[in-house]
Amino acid sequence: DTGVSQNPRHKITKRGQNVTFRCDPISEHNRLYWYRQTLGQGPEFLTYFQNEAQLEKSRLLSDRFSAERPKGSFSTLEIQRTEQGDSAMYLCASSFASGIYNEQFFGPGTRLTVL
Amino acid sequence: AQSVAQPEDQVNVAEGNPLTVKCTYSVSGNPYLFWYVQYPNRGLQFLLKYITGDNLVKGSYGFEAEFNKSQTSFHLKKPSALVSDSALYFCAVRDGGGGSYIPTFGRGTSLIVHP
């Protein structure tokens, strides 16, 4: 399977703990995006990378959230001091950078539950 | 600013009947429009996009969408619905006038196809 993969698929944690998610994009894609999706809502943009550079961050991305893509391949999203409001599905997507209207390919998501 | 509205939370249709899932948008420049489908516990899958050209766009699984500039709409259609089409459908838009590459997603419409 050469699609976007995310690990873990599910994460249950206690409030105040730190969690880290990983995304492996399609290998030919140099753009990588993170979204958050809650029940009854569409994906909400968090941040995106072109290669290893983080080019845009949403105001939703509080100081407790940090994302990296150190070698321009996989990416990690870390949430520090988790809160119950962080419970959501975290989606990763990737796309080509050439052309400005390329569709995004999504991974299966990581479902986070904060108790 | 860009925004998307999906006015129906749920659409019910009998198998074999035509289906329409509605989407309206607002952008400052030229709209780039996308439809995605999400099955339970899965990521979003790309169905089709409109960038320019013919107003009727054909996509995966027999779906098509019609771009209507005067009504700022991009409704998703299929001539004959299948039970397996039951899923969550998201419309997305981004402003082709430059700036951010990030699309804005609608809240989603749950399509239920009855046998």
Side-chain angles (χ1 to χ4, degrees), chain A:
Chain A
D1 188 350
T2 57
V4 178
S5 62
Q6 292 186 246
N7 288 289
R9 293 293 305 277
H10 303 273
K11 179 69 176 179
I12 299 174
T13 191
K14 293 182 179 180
R15 189 176 54 186
Q17 298 296 306
N18 299 344
V19 294
T20 300
F21 310 140
R22 175 177 171 131
C23 171
D24 288 87
I26 293 172
S27 57
E28 300 85 11
H29 290 173
N30 43 11
R31 286 203 186 124
L32 186 149
Y33 311 79
W34 285 100
Y35 290 87
R36 181 173 66 189
Q37 185 181 21
T38 53
L39 197 62
Q41 300 294 325
E44 297 174 297
F45 169 71
L46 293 177
T47 188
Y48 99 94
F49 294 82
Q50 181 155 318
N51 300 316
E52 64 275 8
Q54 189 172 18
L55 296 186
E56 192 169 337
K57 292 194 293 186
S58 163
R59 284 173 291 180
L60 292 175
L61 209 67
S62 78
D63 291 344
R64 296 184 297 105
F65 287 68
S66 62
E68 294 182 342
R69 195 183 184 198
K71 297 182 179 179
S73 56
F74 73 92
S75 175
T76 58
L77 177 68
E78 181 183 17
I79 309 174
Q80 295 182 328
R81 305 181 302 282
T82 53
E83 302 173 355
Q84 287 184 327
D86 296 331
S87 295
M89 176 77 84
Y90 289 85
L91 296 169
C92 176
S94 67
S95 74
F96 289 107
S98 59
I100 59 175
Y101 45 76
N102 292 305
E103 63 271 20
Q104 297 172 353
F105 292 80
F106 283 81
T110 294
R111 182 169 296 284
L112 173 65
T113 302
V114 182
L115 302 176

